[in-house]
Amino acid sequence: LVHLILSVDLHQSKDSWYLSYSVTCNRSPVFDSRSRSGAQLHEWGGVEGDTIELPLDVVVWGDVRICFYRHLKNSASSKATLCFWFLFNPAFYGGRTQLVFPKSKIDIINKDRKNKKTAQDFYICLECSWTPSSHKSLETEERMVEIFRAAGRRRVYQKGDIVIRECCPEQKLIMIQSGSVEGVVYNQVPGHPLGRSASEACSLGGKNEMK
């Protein structure tokens, strides 16, 4: 995700809101605007019909939840209240560079049927990029795939085969090209994209091709 874009209507043109926002993927936190160095709140206001753009440089996956918080004052430490949020899965929008969510798809604010907080045509737009070069972590992942393809050895696992065990003396990296595996999770791993690692992986069947 590159940017968040919010429409400005008559309500915000008269009374600006001070916002912060956060992103979770499969319930794992991946972004919080208040935790960034020198973070400031973002003013949602201006001229009716305009939009505001919120910076968001983060890789997302799975069930993505983006939450917005309204602050009483223009201070990141001031009291904040969850004012609206929405949920989506990027797997259903492959290749689209803009995702638009109307008011009816945005939780909490969609209950504002009398339009006292926002206009009926309020929307949130996400600007997305699907190219590996758009983010350092995606570029690194693409390079790792190239290394596997160049130096890896193809192997096919059958149902029930153990792919890797914890504390195995044989150190190896595995890239799953097709099929699926099941992992037993013991420890949380800070910084891991999914927030966890599998201590043991087992083939779930079929011809699982890996390197």
Side-chain angles (χ1 to χ4, degrees):
L1 299 180
V2 182
H3 289 110
L4 281 165
I5 299 174
L6 278 65
S7 63
V8 177
D9 57 47
L10 182 62
H11 299 77
Q12 286 72 48
S13 67
K14 292 182 177 180
D15 182 18
S16 296
W17 291 21
Y18 295 106
L19 299 177
S20 62
Y21 49 101
S22 64
V23 181
T24 59
C25 297
N26 291 338
R27 298 186 179 181
S28 296
V30 296
F31 180 91
D32 189 331
S33 64
R34 288 171 291 184
S35 65
R36 304 180 72 186
S37 178
Q40 296 180 344
L41 299 183
H42 296 268
E43 184 178 359
W44 181 25
V47 179
E48 182 181 4
D50 284 353
T51 58
I52 65 164
E53 188 175 280
L54 307 179
L56 185 64
D57 182 19
V58 64
V59 177
V60 296
W61 66 93
D63 292 329
V64 181
R65 174 169 167 156
I66 302 181
C67 297
F68 295 83
Y69 304 87
R70 184 180 184 182
H71 293 252
L72 291 177
K73 301 177 181 179
N74 187 14
S75 170
S77 61
S78 64
K79 184 178 179 180
T81 303
L82 177 65
C83 52
F84 51 87
W85 61 275
F86 64 97
L87 185 73
F88 73 101
N89 192 313
F92 299 114
Y93 301 93
R96 292 174 59 177
T97 57
Q98 281 195 339
L99 308 180
V100 179
F101 298 87
K103 183 174 181 177
S104 59
K105 299 296 183 180
I106 304 170
D107 276 85
I108 298 179
I109 208 74
N110 60 1
K111 297 179 176 63
D112 176 36
R113 295 182 175 86
K114 294 184 178 180
N115 304 319
K116 293 182 178 181
K117 296 181 178 179
T118 67
Q120 185 60 39
D121 58 357
F122 166 65
Y123 67 89
I124 297 176
C125 176
L126 290 178
E127 289 189 348
C128 314
S129 176
W130 300 82
T131 59
S133 60
S134 64
H135 197 278
K136 186 177 180 179
S137 62
L138 291 178
E139 190 173 1
T140 302
E141 180 182 338
E142 183 68 16
R143 290 177 180 175
M144 181 62 74
V145 171
E146 291 175 359
I147 292 173
F148 269 101
R149 288 173 177 167
R153 178 170 58 89
R154 186 182 299 272
R155 183 174 176 182
V156 177
Y157 290 83
Q158 301 299 325
K159 183 177 180 179
D161 291 347
I162 300 298
V163 179
I164 188 171
R165 281 192 174 92
E166 186 179 25
C167 301
C168 177
E170 180 185 3
Q171 300 296 318
K172 57 183 177 181
L173 293 173
I174 297 174
M175 181 180 74
I176 303 171
Q177 292 186 299
S178 64
S180 57
V181 296
E182 183 178 73
V184 180
V185 177
Y186 294 111
N187 301 311
Q188 296 291 319
V189 180
H192 190 279
L194 300 180
R196 56 187 66 86
S197 68
S199 298
E200 183 178 275
C202 176
S203 170
L204 294 183
K207 293 185 177 180
N208 294 342
E209 295 186 3
M210 307 179 189
K211 283 190 177 182

